[in-house]
Amino acid sequence: MEEINLSQIQSFINIFHHLYDHIRLIDPNSSEIINLSSDNKLDENVKDLMCYNFWEGDRTCNNCISMRAYKENRFFMGIENRSERIFLTMAVPLILEKRRVILELIKDATDSIYFENSISFNFLEVLKNLDNISNLALKDALTGVYNRRYINEKLPIDLKATVAANASLSVIMIDVDHYKSINDTYGHLVGDTVLKILAETIQACMKRETDWVARYGGEEFFICLPGAKLSKAVEIAENIRKAVESRVIKIGTEEIRVTASFGVSSNKYTKNTCYEDIIDEADKKLYKAKVNGRNRVEW
């Protein structure tokens, strides 16, 4: 990707400012708006300008297309629903001053949307459908928790936030013990039921709004605990382990009990830490739990 300068960006803004309601540069890792100051230089000290403030939120959006554009280095377009208004957002990755930033073009499209059959148009129904589409992109269809895409988008944000706050970040990898045997013995439908119940059990043990769980793939789940220290993460993992072990799954006249293994990784990371390394560390601890007999927590 060719590097551009601020004057080129300013020229672009001058051309398109009549077409879009908001044009801004952001760093999606920190959710920070990059201010274009009057002397045409980047002012990176505007800490109170957080991109999610525009959406009337207090934290990064779950479905951040700018983070996706940043990670995949390609253009993305999304539709946002805020305060009964519909916004069209385009995210364009650029190289500016030797770092990747995102140019966001935001248009309030509420009054610009045309429906061929205006009689059947229901604005609230449209907003509901937009929310459903957004959730489908980030939720696992079987278990209802977040999916792998969400991990790839949200974990880098939480990592950046905890580094900035000099706080710990803890993650937990979970794997169902002997899951293949469950499928072979009872069938894949029962295997799916086990995964659903495991997801429910995990969620019931999580109390903070900032914590989240996702299905990593197959029978593996991933938990992120921003700000949690190792001792707290181990406590949560142990609580989930006990809850899973004590849960009885009724299949017809049979009762099935399952167990799970847990790997915990926790640290105060630096700005040079890659989120993939955090996942890898937790995965190594999970492997250790498997080797050491399963149904246990390793950290």
Side-chain angles (χ1 to χ4, degrees):
M1 180 183 296
E2 184 179 351
E3 185 170 353
I4 65 171
N5 56 45
L6 283 172
S7 62
Q8 289 174 303
I9 291 179
Q10 291 286 20
S11 298
F12 181 89
I13 291 175
N14 290 337
I15 294 172
F16 287 96
H17 77 279
H18 291 300
L19 298 177
Y20 296 93
D21 298 297
H22 302 275
I23 300 177
R24 62 188 190 176
L25 284 173
I26 73 164
D27 178 350
N29 274 318
S30 60
S31 303
E32 182 181 343
I33 297 175
I34 300 171
N35 185 46
L36 292 176
S37 57
S38 57
D39 58 358
N40 211 31
K41 293 183 179 179
L42 283 181
D43 179 6
E44 299 184 14
N45 297 316
V46 190
K47 300 301 182 185
D48 58 333
L49 290 178
M50 305 303 288
C51 72
Y52 49 71
N53 289 343
F54 174 82
W55 303 114
E56 300 174 0
D58 59 359
R59 62 174 65 96
T60 305
C61 307
N62 286 338
N63 191 13
C64 180
I65 65 165
S66 291
M67 175 59 76
R68 195 172 303 170
Y70 182 90
K71 286 184 56 59
E72 299 185 23
N73 195 24
R74 62 190 179 97
F75 166 86
F76 277 92
M77 181 172 67
I79 300 176
E80 299 283 348
N81 161 30
R82 292 294 183 275
S83 301
E84 296 190 355
R85 307 294 294 177
I86 298 175
F87 291 91
L88 176 66
T89 305
M90 287 180 280
V92 184
L94 303 171
I95 300 297
L96 178 66
E97 296 187 351
K98 301 186 184 208
R99 71 164 181 169
R100 187 176 301 167
V101 297
I102 300 299
L103 180 67
E104 281 192 344
L105 308 167
I106 303 171
K107 172 72 175 177
D108 185 345
T110 310
D111 300 323
S112 304
I113 298 176
Y114 172 74
F115 293 86
E116 185 174 355
N117 185 0
S118 59
I119 297 177
S120 63
F121 168 63
N122 185 320
F123 185 78
L124 294 178
E125 191 65 26
V126 171
L127 298 184
K128 179 181 178 181
N129 288 335
L130 289 177
D131 286 336
N132 289 339
I133 292 171
S134 178
N135 285 333
L136 285 174
L138 297 171
K139 294 291 184 71
D140 176 58
L142 176 65
T143 63
V145 300
Y146 290 115
N147 57 22
R148 182 72 169 268
R149 169 178 282 180
Y150 186 82
I151 297 173
N152 293 338
E153 293 181 13
K154 189 66 167 63
L155 183 57
I157 294 173
D158 286 342
L159 171 60
K160 194 86 171 182
T162 51
V163 169
N166 192 31
S168 298
L169 175 66
S170 297
V171 302
I172 305 171
M173 287 288 288
I174 307 171
D175 185 86
V176 180
D177 295 330
H178 304 295
Y179 184 70
K180 183 179 183 302
S181 177
I182 295 172
N183 277 334
D184 292 344
T185 304
Y186 300 101
H188 290 283
L189 289 179
V190 173
D192 288 348
T193 299
V194 168
L195 295 181
K196 292 177 185 177
I197 291 176
L198 177 60
E200 292 172 2
T201 306
I202 294 172
Q203 289 179 300
C205 294
M206 297 171 62
K207 307 302 181 183
R208 302 188 309 169
E209 290 186 4
T210 53
D211 301 339
W212 50 271
V213 58
R215 187 180 177 190
Y216 187 75
E219 68 274 22
E220 288 189 324
F221 290 81
F222 179 88
I223 297 175
C224 183
L225 308 166
K229 296 181 179 179
L230 176 61
S231 58
K232 186 63 178 178
V234 172
E235 177 187 330
I236 291 172
E238 185 61 28
N239 288 341
I240 297 173
R241 188 197 65 77
K242 291 177 180 178
V244 171
E245 184 181 37
S246 63
R247 187 80 180 259
V248 177
I249 303 173
K250 293 185 178 181
I251 306 296
T253 58
E254 293 194 63
E255 293 185 348
I256 301 174
R257 292 181 182 270
V258 299
T259 61
S261 300
F262 298 74
V264 180
S265 178
S266 179
N267 210 334
K268 282 188 177 181
Y269 298 100
T270 69
K271 63 180 181 180
N272 296 322
T273 304
C274 296
Y275 79 95
E276 294 96 337
D277 294 337
I278 299 175
I279 296 175
D280 185 59
E281 181 63 26
D283 199 45
K284 289 177 180 176
K285 301 301 182 185
L286 172 60
Y287 177 77
K288 184 177 179 182
K290 291 285 189 181
V291 170
N292 287 340
R294 296 183 170 87
N295 190 25
R296 59 186 294 120
V297 178
E298 293 285 354
W299 65 94

